[in-house]
């Protein structure tokens, strides 16, 4: 049986209206679809591109009905959407990726166990069901270790770095203070990686998988800073990374766009850090450097269309604009200097409020050679650190606590 194809004019629903939802909406609109955005934040960027906007809390049942009557298929832009809502919608419409995938991925404990069950490599971890179990977990895992809330973390939020067992008391107290019913945590061994990589995998309706080339990522303070495409890893090692990514995504057994994040150590070991069931920040370069962007693939899969041909047209380096850095490249000489650089593509997300650590936009530099793109990206990063007031001043402490976003 061929799956039903949604044709231009159909209404596609997206849960979550941040930059990922907005970039999905942009891709959908270009192909002639209308988009219904549901995000309780009225200022969420995707509302600006929506044919239909819903701003009630996700648990509002009346809005659930109206949303369901409006859309013909549903996707989501981040994993902290209530899985119950997706399950309910799935009884009425295609939801891609499926609600069962969301359930696995939105809980770090379930996700790690899932990967382990499928013999996929993950760093040693322990599950913490109550803050009192932290010292025992540190004993089992060793240190340094990262304690992460099982749910609702993003951009490194909801994480505590434990440098030595002496940190356990303070972190334990903080876990106690913020504990909600049924909350749990995961303690992960800190991997001394040489590089971080990620692979976008598009999973089609007929069991077909297509990958984008692996890319190299650099994070600062738990937030993605720079992505370089393609990876500088050897072709053989890159093929291995891609294979593992497809194995992980095929185990999830659902159509959709996924991103698999990896740690690669100096001695060649690979660990899966996590999987995102959606387009990913490290795939933003595909908007400008690939034949088909990760967002168009999301639209294609949602509409039952063939997966687009994946080809990297140019090498690329993507730099995130975080917090007040955005001011440095949107005003005065910073703006004209940036716009004068050949191959510089500026994307601003239209967020009204600048907050420390908030992703406000990104710049992708395109070039024939990766080294040239990287050089321009490093130039921008230098400008950003010189021109903007640091968004992270005073943040480097041994025990770092950041709040997860509540939905
Ligand atoms: P995002 O949603 O932006 O991917 P997140 O909040 O889900 O972030 P993680 O991916 O778990 O957080 O962690 C963010 C970054 O912190 C990683 O990309 C990596 O740089 C570092 N990190 C996380 N876990 C580990 C680990 N076990 N060992 C070493 N570094 C780690
Ligand atoms: Mg991550």
């Amino acid at each position: 049986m061929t799956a039903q194809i949604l044709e231009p004019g159909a209404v596609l629903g997206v849960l979550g209206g941040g930059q990922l939802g907005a970039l999905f909406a942009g891709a959908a609109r270009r192909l002639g679809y209308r988009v219904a955005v549901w995000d309780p934040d009225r200022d969420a960027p995707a509302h600006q591109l929506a044919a239909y906007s819903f701003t009630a809390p996700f648990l509002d049942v009346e809005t659930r009905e109206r949303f369901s009557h409006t859309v013909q298929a549903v996707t989501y832009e981040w994993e902290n959407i209530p899985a119950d809502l997706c399950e309910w919608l799935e009884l009425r419409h295609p939801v891609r990726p499926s609600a069962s995938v969301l359930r696995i991925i939105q809980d770090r404990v379930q996700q790690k166990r899932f990967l382990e069950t499928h013999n996929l490599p993950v760093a040693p971890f322990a599950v913490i069901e109550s803050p009192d179990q932290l010292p025992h977990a540190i004993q089992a895992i060793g240190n340094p270790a990262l304690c992460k809330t099982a749910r609702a973390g993003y951009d490194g939020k909801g994480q505590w770095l434990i440098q030595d067992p002496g940190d356990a008391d303070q972190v334990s107290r903080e876990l106690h203070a913020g504990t909600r019913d049924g909350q749990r945590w995961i303690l992960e061994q800190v991997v001394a990686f040489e590089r971080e990589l990620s692979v976008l995998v598009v999973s089609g309706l007929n069991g077909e998988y297509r990958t984008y080339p692996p890319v190299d990522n650099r994070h600062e303070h738990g937030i993605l800073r720079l992505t370089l495409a393609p990876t500088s890893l050897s072709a053989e090692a890159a093929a291995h990374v891609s294979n593992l990514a497809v194995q992980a995504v095929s185990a999830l057994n659902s159509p959709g766009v996924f991103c698999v994040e990896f740690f690669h150590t100096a001695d060649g070991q690979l660990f899966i850090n996590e999987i995102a069931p959606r387009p990913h920040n490290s795939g933003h370069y595909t908007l400008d450097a690939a034949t088909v962007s990760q967002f168009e693939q999301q639209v294609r899969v949602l509409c039952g269309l063939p997966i687009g041909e994946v080809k990297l047209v140019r090498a690329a380096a993507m730099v995130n604009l975080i917090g007040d850095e955005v001011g440095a490249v949107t005003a005065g000489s910073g703006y004209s200097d940036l716009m004068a650089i050949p191959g510089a593509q500026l994307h601003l997300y239209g967020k009204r409020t600048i907050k420390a650590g908030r992703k406000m936009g990104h710049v992708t530099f395109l070039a024939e050679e990766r080294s040239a793109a990287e050089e321009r990206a490093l130039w921008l990063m230098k400008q950003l650190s010189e021109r903007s007031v640091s968004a992270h001043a005073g943040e480097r402490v041994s025990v770092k606590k950041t709040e997860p976003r509540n939905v």
Side-chain angles (χ1 to χ4, degrees):
M1 190 185 85
T2 12
Q4 196 206 344
I5 288 181
L6 293 178
E7 294 172 353
V11 181
L12 309 181
V14 60
L15 300 171
Q19 63 272 18
L20 296 174
L23 292 165
F24 165 79
R29 281 169 52 134
R30 188 171 59 79
L31 290 172
Y33 295 96
R34 291 172 294 156
V35 179
V37 174
W38 186 353
D39 191 313
D41 178 2
R42 286 174 188 279
D43 287 338
H47 286 308
Q48 295 168 23
L49 297 163
Y52 306 92
S53 271
F54 298 82
T55 54
F58 285 123
L59 300 179
D60 187 282
V61 292
E62 188 262 329
T63 304
R64 189 177 73 175
E65 285 291 345
R66 282 196 297 120
F67 183 78
S68 174
H69 279 117
T70 308
V71 303
Q72 280 147 276
V74 179
T75 188
Y76 40 90
E77 65 133 26
W78 76 316
E79 44 282 12
N80 296 316
I81 298 296
D84 288 348
L85 171 61
C86 285
E87 222 156 59
W88 186 90
L89 289 165
E90 205 165 47
L91 297 173
R92 292 150 181 88
H93 306 286
V95 175
R96 294 182 187 144
S98 67
S100 61
V101 162
L102 186 64
R103 254 189 219 294
I104 296 168
I105 290 200
Q106 69 183 192
D107 186 307
R108 288 188 197 276
V109 173
Q110 283 205 48
Q111 186 183 152
K112 280 273 195 313
R113 285 185 172 150
F114 177 87
L115 292 169
E116 253 190 354
T117 311
H118 287 86
N119 293 321
L120 291 155
V122 291
F125 68 94
V127 179
I128 300 173
E129 307 274 355
S130 111
D132 308 332
Q133 295 174 356
L134 181 64
H136 186 251
I138 296 175
Q139 241 174 19
I141 296 304
N143 53 274
L146 264 176
C147 178
K148 304 180 180 177
T149 51
R151 303 172 75 93
Y154 73 107
D155 284 349
K157 292 180 170 45
Q159 299 190 6
W160 294 260
L161 175 63
I162 294 165
Q163 308 267 33
D164 65 76
D167 292 338
D169 279 353
Q170 190 189 330
V171 175
S172 237
R173 272 196 301 277
E174 292 191 17
L175 299 190
H176 262 300
T179 303
R180 279 166 288 177
D181 274 357
Q183 189 175 354
R184 49 186 187 167
W185 299 264
I186 192 166
L187 189 76
E188 291 178 18
Q189 197 173 85
V190 168
V191 179
F193 56 80
E194 189 184 52
R195 76 169 82 211
E196 285 192 79
L197 297 113
S198 56
V199 180
L200 284 170
V201 180
V202 188
S203 161
L205 258 58
N206 50 5
E208 183 191 6
Y209 296 94
R210 264 189 218 171
T211 58
Y212 284 80
V215 296
D216 293 331
N217 297 319
R218 282 183 218 153
H219 290 77
E220 275 172 19
H221 313 283
I223 306 179
L224 184 66
R225 171 85 274 176
L226 173 69
T227 293
L228 298 168
T231 177
S232 60
L233 212 55
S234 72
E236 194 189 336
H240 180 49
V241 178
S242 296
N243 281 339
L244 273 181
V246 171
Q247 272 180 48
V249 171
S250 61
L252 287 167
N253 193 25
S254 166
V257 173
F258 297 82
C259 182
V260 188
E261 300 177 16
F262 291 91
F263 300 130
H264 186 255
T265 63
D267 60 356
Q269 285 188 82
L270 266 178
F271 298 101
I272 294 182
N273 172 26
E274 59 176 356
I275 305 177
R278 52 165 171 82
H280 193 260
N281 192 172
S282 66
H284 285 358
Y285 76 92
T286 63
L287 285 162
D288 303 302
T291 40
V292 178
S293 79
Q294 58 174 349
F295 301 101
E296 179 174 328
Q297 302 284 26
Q298 189 180 15
V299 175
R300 284 171 173 256
V301 172
L302 189 58
C303 295
L305 293 164
I307 303 176
E309 182 200 31
V310 174
K311 253 197 185 138
L312 192 60
V313 182
R314 320 271 309 265
M318 190 258 358
V319 180
N320 269 334
L321 300 173
I322 299 165
D324 59 9
E325 287 173 354
V326 70
V329 293
T330 53
S333 61
Y335 188 39
S336 44
D337 286 355
L338 174 68
M339 296 313 256
I341 297 177
Q345 311 283 321
L346 173 65
H347 297 256
L348 297 176
Y349 304 146
K351 293 183 183 175
R352 286 198 195 187
T353 321
I354 297 177
K355 288 186 197 155
R358 191 173 209 198
K359 291 171 179 166
M360 304 300 296
H362 70 265
V363 183
T364 302
F365 296 94
L366 303 174
E368 293 310 316
E369 298 294 329
R370 175 181 129 141
S371 55
E374 180 175 7
E375 200 177 297
R376 288 166 198 167
L378 295 178
W379 170 85
L380 177 65
M381 283 159 59
K382 189 159 172 285
Q383 298 296 306
L384 292 176
S385 63
E386 283 168 8
R387 288 179 198 241
S388 64
V389 181
S390 169
H392 307 287
E395 214 190 69
R396 286 258 109 176
V397 286
S398 64
V399 177
K400 186 179 119 193
K401 178 186 180 285
T402 44
E403 287 300 330
R405 182 162 100 176
N406 292 315
V407 288

